[in-house]
Amino acid sequence: MKLSEELPLIAKDPYGYAEKLKAEKKIVGTLCSYTPEEIIIAAGAHPFRLFGSGQKSRLADAHLQSYCCSLARGVLEDALSERLDFLEGIVFAHTCDTMQRLSDICRINRGGVFHLDLILPAKLNTESARRYFRDVLQTFREDLGAKLGVEIADNDLRKAISAMNRIRKAFTRIYELINENPSIINGEELYILNRAAMMMDKARLADLVEGTVVQLSSGSREAPDAGAPPPKRIFLEGGVCNYPDIYNIIEEAGGAVAGDDLCTGFRYFNGLVDEDNPDPLMAIADRYLKRIVCPAKHAGIADRGERLVEMVLEKRAQGVIFFFLKFCDPHAFDYPYLQQVLEKAGIPSLMVEVDDPLQAGGQLQTRIEAFIEMI
Ligand code: SF4
């Protein structure tokens, strides 16, 4: 499989890409997959996911406690260092405490861009949450429109929904093909594809990702060595993954990623917005209510565990690697419960916590090798 050359370039130098794109569109930064990108696209702007550039923290440390995650620290450092000057504004979907406070810190210390908060419900399985979710989206539509000086019409929303659904369908197909044969694409390519998808122009992305589906479906990738044992199927569970190396480590240890439930992986693409719903905002809200929830949300006491076991069985994964950013409280709080649910289902798991930049790979590599050998 050969990815289009554009994708690794964007994944490697996202800010360089954004600087060029800003000549065509206003760019709005996002930090979480709970940001309704359809509304930003319908406003004629471009949603651009921020991950932090992983550079040494000099300015952010004055505003954040040492126990904040590297995502929050990295984004704040980039904002204060004027590396995000291509942005028109930033949208903060309230998930964890860190994200909520990051919004305030950015607002107070970084002028020149707008800051919008999306205070979505934490509980997602009630009718009142559904109505409230829609109200929040309506407020966001009005606030964003006012900041960008446009009126966001239902028709524009429908076009944006359809554009995003096209991308989600293509990624769903890619994940199905990976489930059939995890060696069909190597993990680093999958990482690049996912990563670029969250930052690049959506119309161009849809073409590229559909092309990738055609390529993968045609089986053009070289067949693995016939004598080699099949790789062990691994499911990745966790939050933001900024580390392509993790995929190489898994593959070198004899594993292959058969599926994931990462904030920066399949959870972002999961589920379609109903294009036939006459109320596009309700349709956007409904997708979030049905989608796999992240640990900062709640859809029932047993929902996360049941869904995780379901996904692992569907992917025929032999083991789960929990992959967390250090100090990510929502994921860390959920871990003991999820680990127990997997244990009861007879599914082995390993938990790794990483920081940005990734510490020397030795220990991580040894733990992953030992886990893959054991399963
Ligand atoms: S990675 Fe975790 S702690 Fe950091 S912002 Fe996201 S949910 Fe919050």
Side-chain angles (χ1 to χ4, degrees), residues 31 68-72 95-99 102 239-240 263 294-296 325-331:
L31 287 135
C68 284
C69 72
S70 52
L71 171 67
T95 48
C96 61
D97 290 352
T98 304
M99 231 4 103
L102 184 67
V240 171
C263 297
C294 105
L325 276 187
K326 207 166 176 187
F327 305 122
C328 178
D329 290 346
H331 283 282

Side-chain angles (χ1 to χ4, degrees), residues 95-113:
T95 48
C96 61
D97 290 352
T98 304
M99 231 4 103
Q100 294 178 37
R101 298 291 73 80
L102 184 67
S103 163
D104 297 332
I105 295 169
C106 280
R107 183 176 295 104
I108 293 166
N109 296 286
R110 186 72 189 95
V113 292

Side-chain angles (χ1 to χ4, degrees), residues 30 38 63 71 97 160 170 172 255 260 279 303 321 331 359:
T30 69
E38 295 88 346
H63 302 277
L71 171 67
D97 290 352
T172 303
D260 74 61
D279 178 352
D303 180 76
I321 298 182
H331 283 282
Q359 296 82 9

